[in-house]
């Protein structure tokens, strides 16, 4: 429970505001000032928080938790003020210096301090919970503004309603006007109804939530009584139904009669019905009036949280920066209010990712406040008019598929969308493509792509440059949390597709300043889909390609992996671009999430036999420089043979920087990427390849699919 907001600022915090004001009025980007922080300073902060004597101390203590930790003789600390590039706000963070390792580090959390006149419009909250008339009123304001003023948020109705909806007020009486009457304890006759008899323009809400494992309340063939009875008793009796109860309460409070909840509106064990409803999932969310998001992803908490107002409410102070100057009114808010970022643990889930991009507007219920997100506005209860610092919007602004974008921008957004999606988690790996199928369907419509040209997560007309994905790199400690026993491969996509693995991938061309110009030729495609949903996975998807290929041999010497080319060129294996790389300019990025690859790389004994792989050149990576595209690297994929004659499967990615090719003309690999190169494969290998008349290229298969090949 939070203390009443006292509006008090102590002497120490007045100095903080003065320091921030001085940096802010300097007008020099990245101006830095600091304030020493000793143990007595920390003790005063803790005392002020405990006695509720200073709002700013409470805000600092909650926002920068490390400030409460005791110091020792080996560490010194300071509060550091930095003027950001937007010139309207000062960043305040805690830095510590350790005498032992002579390193300085910044602690998590920070404050943004800005001039009230030029800063964001803030609001002081009074409700100690996210289920309040205050919160509900703010959502209503956002919704009314969005519906009346945001042209880019207009619903693209297809005239199709979901198969079923939940009627939250199935009586002839009007919706209650008093907040206390909205809860389910005061309700009755809430029912799951078939929507075919409803007008096509019926307004409804949707819900994004995390299911229990296993879920305790679902519509199935065994629970069809949910279609015939008042569901209130069942919702009240189930502890995991809190999110359903809260969503119905919010729906009633906003004046809507219907809400769609997947767990209660789709018969989960009815295969044909479920398949059809998933194919129309894009319409369900796109046509909704508002999506309610249980962003904390707790089946027990739902949408209602008690909150500590001292950790979220802004603090204000009027100070004189320098003698003789006019006073300046400043306000401090927690860093991070400028962006929704991932918006809670819920968006670590794969199925929910597409719901976020499809819904025209979302109310995110977090533990501290409700956040708003639509195509025109990101906001929070504390910052109801949105963020004005010019920072990029993290999700919709980078990956949303909307009309009016150029073909190049749509292509760029697809790559970014897949990169973001692959960082999420799924309970069932075989949902890898199905859980993003609604976005693929939307992309097909907006980009005017033929659905038949969607091949296991890639589009046929951009398939060749799409082949050069690789596993994403993370800074230490920033990797997505994944279960150690979770499957790392799927059976719904070929090895050349990103969807064949359960890991995060990236592309060079996810940046507008980088592109891949393919030199390989797509000769033929053979595909067998798993279902009538063209955006689902495949049983078999085989590519026939013509391009340059080079055999390499990987072996262990003195415990270290080496690469040999044609037995004449050999060098230590380099897995990333570093100083060693420029001595042997070939960087390999293995698909280590594949079990066979992980086992092969783990074999580090000299007595074990080496392995033969093949480098298939896909094309040239180019970067934009002063408006011109210039070569940056040659890249391709690493293949290994399969038992089927003339077929291969992908096991990694390789890169050769352009400068390295120029500097190392004698390096034999470089010659493999130029016409006229002889001996692309061993003549005694037993493989048959169709050679062009000049001998410069050959045709080969990358074979994929369900057994006999493991993808």
């Amino acid at each position: 429970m939070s203390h009443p907001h006292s509006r008090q600022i102590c002497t120490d915090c007045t100095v903080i505001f003065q320091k921030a004001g001085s940096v802010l009025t300097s007008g020099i980007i990245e101006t830095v000032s600091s304030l020493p922080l000793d143990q007595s300073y920390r003790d005063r902060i803790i005392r002020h928080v405990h006695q509720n004597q200073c709002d700013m101390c409470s805000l600092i203590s909650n926002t920068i938790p490390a400030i409460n930790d005791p110091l020792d003789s080996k560490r010194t600390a300071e509060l550091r003020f930095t003027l950001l590039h937007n010139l309207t706000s000062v960043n305040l963070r805690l830095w510590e210096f350790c005498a032992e390792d002579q390193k300085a580090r910044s602690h998590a959390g920070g404050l943004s301090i800005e001039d009230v006149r030029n800063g964001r419009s803030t609001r002081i909250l009074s409700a100690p919970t996210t289920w309040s008339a205050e919160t509900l009123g703010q959502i209503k304001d956002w919704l009314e503004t969005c519906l009346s003023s945001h042209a880019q948020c207009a619903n693209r109705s297809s005239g199709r309603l979901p198969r079923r909806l939940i009627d939250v007020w199935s009586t002839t009486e009007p919706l209650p006007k008093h907040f206390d009457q909205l809860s389910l304890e005061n309700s009755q006759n809430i029912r799951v109804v078939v929507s075919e008899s409803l007008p096509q323009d019926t307004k409804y809400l949707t819900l994004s939530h995390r299911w229990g494992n296993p879920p305790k309340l679902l519509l199935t063939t065994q629970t069809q009584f949910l279609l015939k009875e008042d569901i209130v008793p069942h919702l009240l009796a189930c502890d995991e139904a809190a999110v359903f109860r809260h969503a119905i309460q919010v729906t009633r409070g906003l004046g809507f009669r219907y809400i769609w909840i997947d767990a209660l509106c789709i018969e989960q064990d009815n295969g044909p019905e479920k398949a059809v409803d998933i194919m129309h999932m894009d319409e369900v969310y796109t046509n909704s009036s508002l999506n309610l998001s249980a962003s904390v992803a707790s089946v027990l908490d739902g949408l209602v949280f008690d909150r500590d107002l001292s950790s979220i409410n802004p603090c204000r102070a009027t100070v004189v920066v320098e003698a003789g100057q006019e006073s300046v009114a400043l306000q401090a808010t927690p860093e991070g209010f400028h962006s929704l970022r991932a918006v809670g643990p819920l968006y670590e889930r794969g199925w929910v990712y597409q719901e976020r991009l499809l819904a025209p507007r979302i109310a995110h219920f977090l533990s501290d406040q409700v956040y708003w997100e639509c195509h025109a506005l990101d906001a929070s209860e504390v910052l109801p008019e949105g963020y004005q610092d010019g920072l990029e919007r993290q999700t919709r602004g980078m990956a949303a598929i909307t009309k009016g974008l150029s073909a190049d921008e749509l292509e760029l957004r697809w790559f970014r969308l897949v990169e973001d999606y692959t960082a999420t988690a799924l309970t069932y790996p075989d949902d890898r493509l199905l859980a993003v199928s609604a976005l693929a369907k939307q992309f097909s419509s907006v980009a005017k792509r033929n659905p038949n040209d969607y091949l296991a997560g890639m589009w046929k007309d951009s398939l060749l440059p799409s082949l050069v994905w690789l596993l994403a790199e993370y800074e230490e400690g920033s990797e997505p949390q994944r279960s150690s026993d979770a499957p790392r491969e799927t059976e719904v996509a070929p090895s050349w597709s990103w969807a064949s693995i359960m890991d995060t991938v990236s592309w060079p061309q996810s940046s507008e300043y980088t592109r891949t110009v393919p030199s390989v030729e797509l000769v033929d495609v053979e595909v067998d889909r798993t279902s009538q949903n063209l955006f689902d996975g495949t049983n078999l998807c085989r590519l026939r390609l013509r391009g340059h290929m080079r055999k390499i041999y990987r072996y262990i010497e003195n415990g270290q992996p080496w690469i040999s080319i044609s037995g004449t060129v050999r060098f230590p294996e380099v897995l990333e671009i570093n100083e060693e790389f420029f001595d042997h300019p070939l960087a390999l990025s293995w698909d280590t999430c594949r079990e066979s690859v992980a086992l092969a790389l783990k074999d580090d004994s000299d007595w074990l036999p080496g392995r033969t792989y093949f480098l298939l050149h896909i094309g040239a990576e180019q970067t934009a420089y002063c408006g011109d595209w210039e070569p940056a690297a040659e890249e391709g994929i690493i293949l290994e043979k399969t038992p089927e004659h003339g077929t291969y499967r992908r096991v990694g990615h390789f890169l050769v920087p352009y400068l390295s090719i120029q500097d190392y003309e004698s390096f034999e690999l470089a010659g493999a990427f130029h016409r006229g190169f002889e001996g692309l494969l061993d003549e005694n290998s037993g493989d048959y390849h169709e050679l062009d008349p000049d001998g410069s290229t050959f045709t080969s298969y990358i074979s994929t699919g369900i057994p006999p090949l493991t993808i």
Side-chain angles (χ1 to χ4, degrees):
M1 183 66 68
S2 61
H3 295 292
H5 205 66
S6 62
R7 308 289 195 276
Q8 299 174 3
I9 302 295
C10 69
T11 302
D12 290 330
C13 291
T14 299
V15 174
I16 288 177
F17 274 108
Q18 289 174 330
K19 282 272 190 181
S22 178
V23 173
L24 188 62
T25 56
S26 71
I28 303 175
I29 296 176
E30 296 187 352
T31 295
V32 178
S33 182
S34 60
L35 184 65
L37 183 69
D38 56 22
Q39 188 58 50
S40 64
Y41 198 145
R42 289 178 183 247
D43 292 341
R44 290 197 299 276
I45 291 177
I46 294 172
R47 184 175 69 252
H48 291 162
V49 172
H50 180 70
Q51 298 176 355
N52 192 31
Q53 291 182 338
C54 175
D55 293 337
M56 187 66 169
C57 284
S58 296
L59 186 60
I60 292 174
S61 177
N62 283 291
T63 306
I64 313 175
I67 207 165
N68 303 301
D69 299 336
L71 284 171
D72 55 42
S73 59
K74 298 178 182 178
R75 293 183 298 140
T76 59
E78 66 181 28
L79 290 171
R80 189 174 295 181
F81 305 79
T82 306
L83 181 62
L84 301 181
H85 286 268
N86 55 34
L87 295 178
T88 63
S89 61
V90 172
N91 175 260
L92 174 65
R93 299 191 72 87
L94 173 65
W95 284 77
E96 281 192 3
F97 180 80
C98 181
E100 285 188 340
D101 58 15
Q102 297 292 301
K103 291 183 178 179
R105 64 190 182 105
S106 173
H107 283 281
L111 294 177
S112 176
I113 303 176
E114 57 197 0
D115 190 326
V116 172
R117 295 170 301 179
N118 302 321
R120 300 160 291 182
S121 176
T122 58
R123 179 185 183 192
I124 303 295
L125 304 181
S126 59
T129 173
T130 53
W131 175 238
S132 64
E134 178 182 60
T135 297
L136 199 60
Q138 182 59 71
I139 298 174
K140 285 184 178 180
D141 289 344
W142 282 324
L143 181 58
E144 290 172 2
T145 300
C146 183
L147 291 172
S148 63
S149 305
H150 297 166
Q152 59 267 57
C153 299
N155 285 37
R156 292 163 289 176
S157 176
S158 65
R160 184 197 302 268
L161 289 174
R163 182 189 303 269
R164 300 183 185 93
L165 291 168
I166 298 173
D167 188 340
V168 304
W169 197 254
S170 304
T171 71
T172 57
E173 300 178 12
L175 285 168
K177 295 183 179 180
H178 297 291
F179 177 79
D180 294 339
Q181 297 177 354
L182 296 173
S183 65
L184 260 66
E185 287 78 1
N186 299 320
S187 308
Q188 60 180 345
N189 206 28
I190 293 177
R191 296 181 176 274
V192 180
V193 298
V194 177
S195 63
E196 62 182 4
S197 61
L198 299 176
Q200 289 300 305
D201 60 352
T202 296
K203 307 297 183 186
Y204 64 91
L205 306 189
T206 53
L207 173 69
S208 290
H209 67 103
R210 183 170 185 177
W211 292 26
N213 189 19
K216 293 185 178 179
L217 188 61
L218 286 177
L219 176 61
T220 66
T221 53
Q222 301 300 316
T223 61
Q224 287 201 349
F225 55 82
L226 294 172
L227 300 177
K228 304 173 183 178
E229 303 175 7
D230 179 359
I231 65 173
V232 169
H234 304 289
L235 295 175
L236 293 175
C238 179
D239 57 350
E240 286 189 3
V243 66
F244 301 156
R245 296 195 297 269
H246 298 162
I248 289 172
Q249 290 171 190
V250 173
T251 302
R252 290 154 59 92
L254 293 175
F256 288 83
R257 182 167 174 172
Y258 299 98
I259 183 171
W260 184 86
I261 300 175
D262 51 3
L264 301 178
C265 294
I266 299 177
E267 198 170 293
Q268 297 298 324
D269 58 353
N270 183 334
E273 175 180 301
K274 189 174 180 179
V276 171
D277 286 357
I278 288 176
M279 288 176 64
H280 297 298
M281 198 68 69
D282 60 317
E283 300 169 49
V284 171
Y285 284 94
T286 300
N287 295 333
S288 68
S289 295
L290 175 67
N291 185 50
L292 306 179
S293 174
S295 301
V296 175
S298 169
V299 294
L300 300 179
D301 292 326
L303 308 179
V304 178
F305 301 91
D306 293 332
R307 56 189 179 188
D308 182 2
L309 296 176
S310 65
S311 66
I312 58 176
N313 273 330
C315 287
R316 295 173 180 170
T318 300
V319 296
V320 176
V321 176
E322 294 183 11
Q325 290 188 345
E326 293 184 2
S327 58
V328 180
L330 302 175
Q331 65 180 5
T333 54
E335 187 183 59
F337 277 7
H338 64 272
S339 171
L340 288 174
R341 297 183 180 175
V343 190
L346 182 66
Y347 291 94
E348 297 173 3
R349 308 299 303 173
W351 277 99
V352 180
Y353 178 79
Q354 69 175 2
E355 296 169 10
R356 182 180 182 186
L357 288 184
L358 290 169
R361 54 196 70 86
I362 309 172
H364 299 275
F365 285 78
L366 273 75
S367 58
D368 60 349
Q369 58 185 311
V370 173
Y371 289 74
W372 176 267
E373 182 181 14
C374 66
H375 292 292
L377 177 69
D378 287 342
S380 68
E381 288 185 79
V382 170
L383 297 169
E385 296 182 10
Y387 318 118
Q388 301 171 11
D389 51 15
L391 296 180
E392 285 186 318
R393 307 178 68 197
Q394 296 297 310
T395 299
R396 290 177 183 266
M398 301 294 287
I401 306 301
T402 56
K403 293 182 179 179
L405 298 173
S406 67
D408 289 343
E409 180 62 23
L410 282 170
E411 188 76 26
L412 183 65
R413 293 201 176 193
W414 178 257
F415 284 123
R416 290 174 176 169
L417 182 157
V418 173
E419 286 184 345
D420 290 344
Y421 169 70
T422 57
T424 64
L426 290 166
T427 302
Y428 304 105
D430 284 354
D431 288 346
R432 186 64 156 169
L433 285 166
L434 195 61
V436 77
S437 60
L439 285 174
K441 181 182 175 184
Q442 183 189 55
F443 182 89
S444 173
S445 175
V446 174
K448 296 180 172 55
R449 301 284 181 91
N450 187 334
N452 287 291
D453 288 342
Y454 185 70
L455 304 172
M458 299 180 183
W459 300 92
K460 187 175 181 180
D461 59 357
S462 60
L463 180 63
L464 297 177
S466 298
L467 294 174
V468 296
W469 57 267
L470 66 161
L471 299 186
E473 296 182 0
Y474 292 95
E475 295 182 2
E476 185 176 354
S478 65
E479 304 89 345
Q481 296 297 316
R482 303 186 189 278
S483 173
S484 59
D485 58 351
R488 303 293 298 279
E489 297 182 71
T490 75
E491 295 186 344
V492 295
S495 66
W496 46 262
S497 168
W498 56 267
S500 67
I501 60 171
M502 297 299 294
D503 216 325
T504 310
V505 305
S506 65
W507 276 275
Q509 55 267 40
S510 64
S511 165
E512 59 187 305
Y513 303 107
T514 306
R515 69 182 184 185
T516 297
V517 180
S519 60
V520 68
E521 177 188 353
L522 177 61
V523 177
D524 190 25
V525 177
E526 179 185 358
V527 60
D528 175 27
R529 303 184 187 275
T530 58
S531 70
Q532 292 182 341
N533 186 350
L534 298 178
F535 304 102
D536 196 357
T538 61
N539 296 318
L540 172 76
C541 196
R542 177 177 294 179
L543 305 182
R544 194 179 190 206
L545 301 172
R546 179 181 288 116
H548 292 290
M549 195 177 216
R550 187 64 169 152
K551 179 191 290 187
I552 65 171
Y553 184 69
R554 185 182 187 273
Y555 62 99
I556 305 298
E557 184 175 293
N558 296 324
Q560 297 296 320
W562 283 69
I563 299 296
S564 173
I565 302 176
S566 299
T568 59
V569 177
R570 56 189 297 272
F571 49 84
E573 180 182 47
V574 178
L575 299 179
E576 59 183 16
I577 298 179
N578 53 27
E579 292 182 0
E580 296 179 5
F581 176 83
F582 292 100
D583 292 330
H584 312 288
L586 170 63
L588 306 179
S589 174
W590 298 93
D591 296 344
T592 53
C593 47
R594 304 191 194 281
E595 184 177 5
S596 61
V597 175
L599 291 174
L601 298 183
K602 190 177 180 180
D603 293 340
D604 56 0
S605 300
D606 293 7
W607 58 270
L608 290 170
R611 289 175 176 263
T612 299
Y613 297 99
F614 302 86
L615 305 180
L616 175 62
H617 181 227
I618 298 298
E621 181 181 315
Q622 298 180 349
T623 57
Y625 183 75
C626 296
D628 296 323
W629 289 97
E630 297 186 359
E634 301 291 343
E635 61 184 335
I637 54 179
I638 310 172
L639 306 176
E640 67 177 2
K641 285 184 179 180
T642 73
E644 186 176 353
H645 177 71
T647 65
Y648 303 82
R649 75 182 195 120
R650 177 193 154 123
V651 292
H653 168 276
F654 75 88
L655 184 75
V656 180
Y658 180 72
L659 291 178
S660 299
I661 295 176
Q662 287 184 315
D663 294 341
Y664 293 87
E665 289 296 342
S666 61
F667 183 54
E668 189 170 349
L669 182 65
F673 301 146
H674 297 281
R675 298 181 67 83
F677 182 80
E678 297 179 357
L680 291 171
L681 284 178
D682 211 339
E683 293 181 359
N684 299 320
S685 66
D687 286 333
Y688 171 76
H689 301 286
E690 301 173 7
L691 293 177
D692 281 357
D694 63 0
S696 63
T697 59
F698 68 95
T699 301
S700 180
Y701 284 107
I702 303 179
S703 178
T704 57
I706 305 306
L709 303 178
T710 302
I711 307 303

